């Protein structure tokens, strides 16, 4: 069994490597911090954040499971968007060799 200190150290190292790789892949593009998001996102916000075009943004906004408020136009509550992304992102778990015990640590 791994100690809590070791798990924490491994997770921090993984975050550092992941951040470096993400920044290298994005090049000049700036990462968007969750705290910098407005309370509600528009279609243009989604396109910029996700680096997608009009067609993909429309497809996303029309998904039954995507959190959209249509009463005041097409707005996506930021906190529900982040929650949706977390629930629908499995890339790290499917594509990394990170130990199963560490994958279950959701302290990001």
């Amino acid at each position: 069994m791994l100690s809590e200190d070791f798990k924490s150290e491994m997770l921090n190292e993984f975050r550092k490597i992941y951040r470096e790789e993400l920044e290298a892949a994005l090049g000049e593009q700036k990462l968007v911090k969750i705290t910098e998001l407005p309370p509600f996102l528009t279609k243009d916000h989604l396109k910029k954040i996700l680096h997608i075009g009009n067609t993909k943004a429309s497809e996303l906004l029309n998904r039954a499971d995507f959190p959209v408020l249509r009463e005041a136009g097409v707005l996506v509550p930021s906190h529900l968007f982040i929650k949706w992304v977390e629930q629908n992102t499995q890339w790290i778990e499917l594509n990394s060799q990170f130990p199963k015990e560490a994958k279950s640590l959701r302290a990001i």
Side-chain angles (χ1 to χ4, degrees):
M1 192 132 232
L2 301 174
S3 72
E4 290 302 315
D5 288 340
F6 180 75
K7 288 178 186 179
S8 178
E9 187 177 319
M10 288 295 295
L11 189 56
N12 287 334
E13 187 64 26
F14 178 72
R15 285 184 187 137
K16 179 182 171 192
I17 293 168
Y18 181 73
R19 189 177 306 113
E20 289 170 357
E21 291 297 319
L22 194 57
E23 288 171 354
L26 292 174
E28 294 293 317
Q29 298 172 350
K30 182 184 177 222
L31 293 176
V32 176
K33 293 183 181 178
I34 293 172
T35 56
E36 294 175 352
L37 294 176
F40 294 95
L41 304 173
T42 64
K43 183 177 181 179
D44 287 336
H45 287 126
L46 292 173
K47 288 170 32 179
K48 184 177 179 183
I49 292 167
L50 299 173
H51 306 285
I52 58 175
N54 248 352
T55 304
K56 286 295 177 191
S58 293
E59 288 175 12
L60 185 60
L61 290 167
N62 287 315
R63 284 180 57 137
D65 65 336
F66 195 73
V68 180
L69 297 175
R70 298 193 186 277
E71 289 77 16
V74 178
L75 298 173
V76 178
S78 294
H79 71 285
L80 295 179
F81 168 70
I82 298 302
K83 185 175 179 179
W84 183 89
V85 169
E86 289 173 348
Q87 291 173 345
N88 290 278
T89 302
Q90 300 167 349
W91 186 91
I92 291 175
E93 291 179 5
L94 295 174
N95 295 289
S96 72
Q97 299 300 317
F98 207 54
K100 277 192 172 186
E101 293 119 1
K103 285 182 187 176
S104 66
L105 298 173
R106 299 284 187 209
I108 295 179

